[in-house]
Amino acid sequence: NSSLVQTFLTNEHLSDKFNTSHFADYLDPHLIDPKIPPRPPGKKMSTDQVGQSQELIRKLLDPYVSPLMAEESDLKLLPMTYITVCEVDPIRDDSFLHSKRLEKAGVDVQVKRYMSFHGVFQFFGYLPEFITFDAGQEIMDDL
């Protein structure tokens, strides 16, 4: 449903039950550097619109699906982490939030922000020049 796109892009599709749980702290927008421009506000969805069920909630909170939902005790076990963030990406803010959670858990984290779109790293040197992007090559060089 295209009318819901903006809601998902702004992370305003979360239920009141979620927003009052301990998981909501993992998504605190105040953790994002204030120098990074905020996403525009979206419309909140009702529980009926989201169509939540216990199984869906369980799956969405699984840290293999949603790393932001991992418990700190699990995050502490992770190795040094490099996070690539593209400005035009629906999960851009999640990347910043995840990096803060990892840092809080004691994981050495490096975050690099690129002023490009999600998936641009696939468009570099090996492709014809008309479809390559400097940011794609920059990401590959940085890795």
Side-chain angles (χ1 to χ4, degrees):
N1 182 340
S2 62
S3 69
L4 303 177
V5 170
Q6 189 61 32
T7 300
F8 282 103
L9 288 176
T10 57
N11 275 342
E12 300 218 6
H13 56 284
L14 305 172
S15 70
D16 290 334
K17 182 176 179 179
F18 177 89
N19 287 330
T20 57
S21 74
H22 76 282
F23 293 112
D25 292 339
Y26 301 165
L27 301 175
D28 183 351
H30 297 97
L31 296 172
I32 297 173
D33 187 330
K35 292 179 262 175
I36 296 170
R39 298 267 188 204
K43 178 182 117 185
K44 266 196 156 192
M45 292 176 64
S46 71
T47 302
D48 292 339
Q49 287 174 306
V50 177
Q52 293 180 352
S53 68
Q54 291 299 64
E55 183 177 2
L56 176 62
I57 291 170
R58 182 184 57 76
K59 288 179 180 179
L60 290 176
L61 296 180
D62 184 311
Y64 287 106
V65 174
S66 302
L68 276 172
M69 300 300 106
E71 298 295 341
E72 190 167 333
S73 58
D74 293 325
L75 293 176
K76 288 179 181 201
L77 303 173
L78 294 174
M80 179 176 23
T81 304
Y82 182 81
I83 299 175
T84 299
V85 181
C86 289
E87 183 62 23
V88 184
D89 188 336
I91 62 169
R92 179 199 74 167
D93 292 354
D94 293 7
S95 301
F96 295 120
L97 295 169
H98 188 56
S99 71
K100 293 299 183 189
R101 293 214 52 232
L102 290 168
E103 287 173 2
K104 184 179 174 193
V107 176
D108 184 16
V109 180
Q110 183 181 357
V111 178
K112 177 90 187 256
R113 181 173 165 224
Y114 299 89
M115 300 307 289
S116 195
F117 61 92
H118 168 80
V120 72
F121 68 90
Q122 300 174 66
F123 298 96
F124 71 102
Y126 70 93
L127 293 170
E129 187 174 331
F130 75 91
I131 197 159
T132 61
F133 293 87
D134 292 342
Q137 187 63 55
E138 182 183 359
I139 291 170
M140 297 311 292
D141 291 346
D142 289 346
L143 291 175

